[in-house]
Amino acid sequence: QSVLTQPPSASGTPGQRVTISCSGRSSNIGSNAVNWYQQLPGTAPKLLIYSNNQRPSGVPDRFSGSKSGTSASLAISGLQSEDEADYYCASWDDSLNGVLFGGGTKLTVL
Amino acid sequence: EVQLVESGGGLVQPGGSLRLSCTASGFTFSSYWMHWVRQAPGKGLVWVLRINSDGSNIKNADSVKGRFTISRDNAKNMLSLQMNSLRAEDTAVYYCARGRMTSETTTRLDVWGQGTTVTVSS
């Protein structure tokens, strides 16, 4: 497995709650923390969630993360137009001996 | 303000070399592990290499082993990426990023540069 598995796309209307899944294996998500990154169009990635469910300072509490076994999820409640972006999960991989990213999910706000 | 600024990207022929730089400011650079992450056009993020705080320990992805070298100059707050034997598949935006962690397996990348574009083409 060269990447963590994410759905390529997700969508929702303003105010809705959407979730993005991230699937891995025992060598990554199953034994290590999951982080989530948000990449707005044309910009660098930004750390959104770390250590499965922690928000860096400045990240709205509309964003939340969870992990169970070898899977993780990012939830966005009260969806806003400015949330339209690519979202990546990531975790340390013991086999790769490095950071493994998901393939990314493009979130569209309808 | 905590900031990372990359430079050095450009167009290079296959088989050629390029050296990227990342200048840090606003934090104690020598205290942090640093990473390079790349993103091919229209594709996702891929971790490439990392270096520990004093430069004594380096890890890299298999795709760049033997071709890319990461180094740092803590006196100048600078991270470097020497890329040799470049291939078309190395074409990407290259980001430097600061690593935060309690142990390596908890690594998160909490500060990113704006990226520098490398194009490998004849």
Side-chain angles (χ1 to χ4, degrees), chain B:
Chain B
E1 179 191 5
V2 173
Q3 197 172 12
L4 296 170
V5 178
E6 300 96 335
S7 60
L11 174 65
V12 60
Q13 292 189 338
S17 298
L18 206 58
R19 187 176 182 87
L20 307 183
S21 295
C22 170
T23 302
S25 60
F27 65 98
T28 305
F29 178 70
S30 60
S31 296
Y32 290 87
W33 295 29
M34 297 296 296
H35 300 249
W36 285 99
V37 176
R38 68 184 181 183
Q39 186 171 34
K43 302 296 185 182
L45 303 171
V46 177
W47 175 83
V48 181
L49 310 99
R50 73 105 175 108
I51 187 169
N52 70 341
S53 56
D54 66 7
S56 63
N57 192 295
I58 290 167
K59 285 181 181 173
N60 53 257
D62 285 345
S63 59
V64 303
K65 192 170 291 184
R67 301 189 300 124
F68 289 14
T69 303
I70 188 173
S71 61
R72 64 191 297 160
D73 184 336
N74 286 342
K76 296 182 178 178
N77 291 341
M78 187 173 292
L79 176 73
S80 296
L81 178 62
Q82 178 65 43
M83 303 185 295
N84 298 328
S85 302
L86 282 161
R87 306 166 180 167
E89 54 264 37
D90 296 319
T91 294
V93 175
Y94 285 75
Y95 296 100
C96 64
R98 187 178 80 172
R100 290 284 298 271
M101 60 194 193
T102 50
S103 68
E104 189 157 28
T105 60
T106 66
T107 294
R108 63 187 186 264
L109 305 177
D110 69 337
V111 179
W112 295 66
Q114 85 287 354
T116 188
T117 301
V118 173
T119 303
V120 184
S121 175
S122 55

Side-chain angles (χ1 to χ4, degrees), chain A residues 51-92:
Chain A
S51 295
N52 306 325
N53 54 18
Q54 302 299 301
R55 285 186 307 277
S57 174
V59 173
D61 59 6
R62 303 186 295 105
F63 295 90
S64 62
S66 64
K67 182 184 113 169
S68 178
T70 58
S71 294
S73 291
L74 172 71
I76 309 171
S77 59
L79 196 63
Q80 300 179 2
S81 58
E82 55 261 40
D83 298 333
E84 192 160 282
D86 293 324
Y87 292 85
Y88 295 89
C89 60
S91 180
W92 184 265

